[in-house]
Amino acid sequence: MEKSDVKVKVLGSWSSPFVLRARIALNIKSVNYEFLQERLWEGKSELLLKSNPVHKKIPVLIHGEQPICESLIIVQYIDEAWSSGPSILPSDPYERATARFWAAYLDEKWFPSMRSVGIAQGDDAKKAAIAQVEEGLALLEEAFAKCSKGKAFFGGDQIGFLDISFGSFLGWLRVTEKMSETKLLSEAKTPALLSWAHKFCSHPAVKDVMPDTEKLAEFSKTILARFRGAAPPKS
Amino acid sequence: MEKSDVKVKVLGSWSSPFVLRARIALNIKSVNYEFLQERLWEGKSELLLKSNPVHKKIPVLIHGEQPICESLIIVQYIDEAWSSGPSILPSDPYERATARFWAAYLDEKWFPSMRSVGIAQGDDAKKAAIAQVEEGLALLEEAFAKCSKGKAFFGGDQIGFLDISFGSFLGWLRVTEKMSETKLLSEAKTPALLSWAHKFCSHPAVKDVMPDTEKLAEFSKTILARFRGAAPPKS
């Protein structure tokens, strides 16, 4: 199963939470990889277009000659292809299903709601978006209690699938807190997630790849300016 | 891992392709289950609301006291929890990633495009929607050649994860063909998928649970009438 002699590449961008997932999973398995930055404003690379012709999106993991796309699929692939580190998915089928459930929830519901905080126009729209994010965090606070069973991470003593899936958004969560001047993770409302977030970000597999909040905030201003510039004028 | 003494229930509806996935996977593993039909027009059952409080959607698999939600997660759970039948996911990590990739593509891109054929207003919109569906089928025809390696199914000699993920849509594909008077699967354009579809539908794990096309077509007329009735008038 293991192919330690073949080259591993990640096509990505430093700012993408989805790319971060692949990098953290590779770090957990102590796999050396080459990180190839896509320059998103300057057109996609030939290698990206060839490796992910269906979606043309990052991240792509290239293992030898084989491209693997979609961040959660990449993390599962890394877990299955390398045994050179702790397991990322839980071993119990029900716990695996639970981790997959919340990871899908994060991508399909929660992250889109957080993204909408940044682009919401007007105070009411922004408040409604923040309320949705907080509702999701309340669910995740409950999920943490069930999954972690009193330990440090969703995955127990080790960072697992749900830690990676959720933790990859922490940089953008902090940017959203800063831009909206709202504490989304707090001692009052989400004490377990607040403590988890600190532990996750200082974990050896994470700390060197988690993007700096200030740099991410600057980058988000650039994105918003482009997004707003491209939006049709309000009638 | 196996819990053959505990009860298994599926909360679902006969017409849902997502529910069908859970039923086919259980049939492959020869697991007896109770099928509890949700009456979608008459409000959701207490058991559904309790078992899937986040999405409140079918299917839900209940194994003993444990509810598992989201069809692709359910199929993976069934594969991992029961060894009483052939494996559903391939054993090779790259083949697993490929099957997961196309299953996600089907749910996120292809099925929404097929659904939009039924609700498209006007000839141009309908043609555009059909073109999108056919584009997806061309990709899946290519994927079939790579995954099946000359055998009957995406999973090789056995029905696998991608067979279940895609095959569950075949009833609705036939309804779409009927309503749009277009052959979507054809000898000319998708010969491999055409042959696969026949084999899939007559497989012992599938044939008794695959909904009848005529009945599904009648049901789809009811849905469309409700959908159109609820749509705001065009200005």
Side-chain angles (χ1 to χ4, degrees), chain B residues 108-120:
Chain B
E108 288 159 24
K109 301 271 179 188
W110 185 79
F111 183 63
S113 75
M114 189 169 75
R115 204 165 36 192
S116 73
V117 173
I119 54 177

Side-chain angles (χ1 to χ4, degrees), chain B residues 57-170:
Chain B
K57 274 161 55 177
I58 54 170
V60 179
L61 174 77
I62 306 181
H63 188 190
E65 300 296 316
Q66 295 178 320
I68 300 106
C69 307
E70 303 279 74
S71 69
L72 295 179
I73 296 174
I74 291 172
V75 173
Q76 290 176 87
Y77 174 82
I78 291 169
D79 196 30
E80 292 163 356
W82 284 280
S83 56
S84 48
S87 289
I88 293 172
L89 267 292
S91 58
D92 175 75
Y94 186 68
E95 289 177 12
R96 289 163 81 89
T98 304
R100 287 182 177 130
F101 175 85
W102 287 111
Y105 170 80
L106 282 160
D107 284 10
E108 288 159 24
K109 301 271 179 188
W110 185 79
F111 183 63
S113 75
M114 189 169 75
R115 204 165 36 192
S116 73
V117 173
I119 54 177
Q121 301 277 346
D123 277 358
D124 286 352
K126 210 170 269 297
K127 270 185 198 163
I130 289 172
Q132 270 205 319
V133 173
E134 289 184 322
E135 204 178 296
L137 290 173
L139 291 174
L140 290 157
E141 176 84 5
E142 272 180 54
F144 184 82
K146 286 184 194 159
C147 295
S148 67
K149 298 170 191 161
K151 298 192 170 166
F153 299 109
F154 282 95
D157 288 322
Q158 298 287 343
I159 283 184
F161 188 64
L162 185 47
D163 294 286
I164 298 173
S165 307
F166 186 14
S168 63
F169 291 131
L170 286 173

Side-chain angles (χ1 to χ4, degrees), chain A residues 45-46 53 69 79 97 114 173 182 200:
Chain A
S45 73
E46 280 303 311
C69 307
D79 196 29
M114 189 168 75
L173 181 92
T182 312
F200 181 81

Side-chain angles (χ1 to χ4, degrees), chain A residues 1 52 54-55 66-70 73 76-77 80-81 91 93-94 96-97 100-102 105 108-109 139, chain B residues 1 54-55 66-70 73 76-77 80-81 91 93-94 96-97 100-102 105 108-109 139:
Chain A
M1 213 83 99
N52 190 358
V54 174
H55 301 301
Q66 296 178 320
I68 299 107
C69 307
E70 304 278 75
I73 296 174
Q76 290 177 87
Y77 173 81
E80 291 163 356
S91 59
Y94 186 68
R96 289 163 81 89
R100 286 182 177 130
F101 174 85
W102 287 112
Y105 170 80
E108 288 159 25
K109 301 271 179 187
L139 291 174
Chain B
M1 212 81 98
V54 175
H55 301 300
Q66 295 178 320
I68 300 106
C69 307
E70 303 279 74
I73 296 174
Q76 290 176 87
Y77 174 82
E80 292 163 356
S91 58
Y94 186 68
R96 289 163 81 89
R100 287 182 177 130
F101 175 85
W102 287 111
Y105 170 80
E108 288 159 24
K109 301 271 179 188
L139 291 174

